[in-house]
Amino acid sequence: MIRMLHITASMSPSGIGNFIMNAYRHVDHSKVQFDFVVCEHREVSFDEEIRELGGRVFYVPRKSVSPIGNFNGIRKIVRDGHYRFVFRHTDVATVALDLLAAMLGGADERVAHSHSTSAKKIWLHKLFRPFLNAVCTRRFACSVQAGIWMYGEKYARGKKQFRVITNGIEIEAFRYDGRMRRKVREEFGFAEETVVIGHVGNYMPVKNHAWMITVLAALTGQGRNAALMLVGDGALRAQMEEQIRTLGLEERVRLTGVRNDIPALLQAMDVFLFPSFYEGMPIALVEAQAAGLPCVISDVITDDVCITEQVKKISLSESADVWADALWGAKQGAGADNAEKIAEAGFDVRALGEIYLRLGES
């Protein structure tokens, strides 16, 4: 049995956290086990489930707090655990330092896995990109665009090209369930006739939550009975709450915090809103389509995520009224059975588990 080490900021419900857990739950634990290096623990972290499945969770300081402690912590964990495979899930190339620590700890296979297509400090990312390419032995990405962003155009072809790993999900868990829909809507106080616009994602600038609230204000200004359900949490929460108060939308917005029952929450929604400034391959959009939700998204997001005909792209340069009209027009499509399309597009999580099993056998 091979133990593989995954390094990420935290193992809580988020794009990266959900991706790794989806793979972990579906790998043969008699042959492959996952362990984790993280910088933080949250109340909703997957730590308990990880331990129940036979995995271990190690903690190291954040680089911003103690860069030396972070580096030495990773090196020691890799060395003491005799890990052959180390995966670093990331948005930026600065994680080359983590893979260097893994190399010095004795890891033969150092895998970088790209989950985004941009970042705040692009210059810093580009500075570290050659270093990352030198220290990693394999290159994974959630989409072609994410791979080019992380490794450069030349790694999209040739012998050293990156490998696109599809963000698999448990498709059956997201099938439309009318009973669950009624239960969740009652929990959050949504009337039957209210059109619930939903989003799943941490409260961070790239997700563009301020625009979502602005679009809701446009809808209510048009006299439409709509509400907004924002699943997640983060540093922007206080700023969002102030915007909601200023626009007088307190009764129409639900900030749920981080939740681990995403399939159930999606059932309560009528339309999924996703106006991100950039993304890699957003698993939340795959899950939304699996739940039968029409999706209105920004046009910068990869076409790879448009699995069904229910996805409509709009430019972020368009007005809030244009976005509002698109959401209102899409609401009639909720409840579609998209399971077969999701599976045919390669997003079945069972295939994801096989990837790590075959890798361990190589």
Side-chain angles (χ1 to χ4, degrees):
M1 189 264 287
I2 286 184
R3 302 197 79 96
M4 297 179 171
L5 189 67
H6 293 259
I7 306 174
T8 186
S10 74
M11 279 306 297
S12 59
S14 65
I16 292 177
N18 286 332
F19 167 83
I20 303 173
M21 286 306 296
N22 281 342
Y24 187 29
R25 293 177 185 124
H26 291 83
V27 75
D28 185 342
H29 296 140
S30 69
K31 298 179 179 178
V32 176
Q33 267 293 346
F34 286 3
D35 294 334
F36 302 86
V37 175
V38 299
C39 300
E40 68 175 7
H41 169 79
R42 298 179 183 176
E43 185 178 344
V44 293
S45 290
F46 292 117
D47 296 14
E48 183 176 346
E49 182 182 356
I50 288 169
R51 295 187 180 102
E52 288 175 352
L53 292 173
R56 299 175 292 201
V57 182
F58 303 99
Y59 298 93
V60 295
R62 286 187 175 277
K63 288 189 183 72
S64 57
V65 175
S66 175
I68 295 176
N70 178 281
F71 187 91
N72 288 336
I74 293 172
R75 181 177 59 180
K76 183 177 187 301
I77 291 166
V78 174
R79 182 192 66 203
D80 293 351
H82 304 287
Y83 291 100
R84 178 187 169 203
F85 287 92
V86 175
F87 299 81
R88 187 35 165 118
H89 301 268
T90 183
D91 297 338
V92 291
T94 53
V95 300
L97 295 171
D98 299 351
L99 292 181
L100 175 62
M103 183 179 74
L104 296 178
D108 297 322
E109 294 282 1
R110 304 172 298 277
V111 186
H113 194 142
S114 175
H115 290 269
S116 188
T117 57
S118 189
K120 287 183 180 179
K121 297 180 180 179
I122 297 177
W123 66 271
L124 189 62
H125 165 75
K126 290 184 176 180
L127 180 66
F128 272 84
R129 183 191 278 164
F131 185 23
L132 177 66
N133 280 315
V135 77
C136 71
T137 57
R138 297 177 191 256
R139 300 166 184 84
F140 288 177
C142 63
S143 68
V144 173
Q145 292 91 329
I148 293 173
W149 154 257
M150 186 60 59
Y151 313 111
E153 185 74 43
K154 71 176 182 179
Y155 287 97
R157 56 188 181 276
K159 292 183 179 180
K160 293 185 177 181
Q161 66 184 359
F162 56 82
R163 179 179 180 181
V164 174
I165 305 295
T166 304
N167 290 355
I169 66 168
E170 296 183 43
I171 298 173
E172 289 301 316
F174 293 90
R175 280 187 184 272
Y176 178 77
D177 184 335
R179 182 191 60 81
M180 183 59 67
R181 173 180 170 84
R182 291 188 293 272
K183 179 181 177 182
V184 177
R185 286 175 73 97
E186 182 178 339
E187 175 189 346
F188 286 95
F190 295 129
E192 184 177 348
E193 63 274 12
T194 300
V195 175
V196 177
I197 298 158
H199 176 86
V200 178
N202 289 331
Y203 304 162
M204 52 198 299
V206 64
K207 299 297 185 182
N208 204 6
H209 285 88
W211 184 244
M212 300 182 213
I213 297 168
T214 299
V215 171
L216 176 65
L219 276 166
T220 58
Q222 295 169 354
R224 290 165 170 170
N225 184 3
L228 186 61
M229 186 180 192
L230 301 177
V231 183
D233 212 340
L236 294 181
R237 182 168 187 136
Q239 181 177 325
M240 292 161 57
E241 289 173 338
E242 177 60 28
Q243 182 185 8
I244 292 165
R245 284 193 296 270
T246 300
L247 294 173
L249 297 173
E250 295 95 328
E251 298 300 316
R252 292 187 175 272
V253 181
R254 307 289 188 274
L255 304 180
T256 72
V258 178
R259 303 271 297 221
N260 57 13
D261 56 347
I262 302 303
L265 298 181
L266 289 172
Q267 301 299 323
M269 302 174 188
D270 297 292
V271 191
F272 202 73
L273 177 58
F274 213 85
S276 295
F277 290 113
Y278 57 85
E279 290 282 349
M281 179 64 194
I283 195 169
L285 277 173
V286 179
E287 293 172 343
Q289 290 173 84
L293 289 175
C295 304
V296 177
I297 72 176
S298 57
D299 63 355
V300 299
I301 298 175
T302 175
D303 288 336
D304 294 343
V305 81
C306 301
I307 306 163
T308 71
E309 297 77 24
Q310 292 181 287
V311 181
K312 181 177 179 59
K313 285 190 169 186
I314 302 180
S315 170
L316 288 171
S317 64
E318 295 286 0
S319 69
D321 283 329
V322 170
W323 281 77
D325 289 341
L327 287 166
W328 199 254
K331 62 183 173 61
Q332 300 299 333
D337 186 351
N338 294 324
E340 187 175 342
K341 292 180 180 178
I342 301 294
E344 288 177 352
F347 290 93
D348 191 328
V349 72
R350 290 172 293 184
L352 181 58
E354 285 295 317
I355 290 173
Y356 289 94
L357 180 60
R358 289 195 298 269
L359 191 61
E361 293 173 342
S362 64

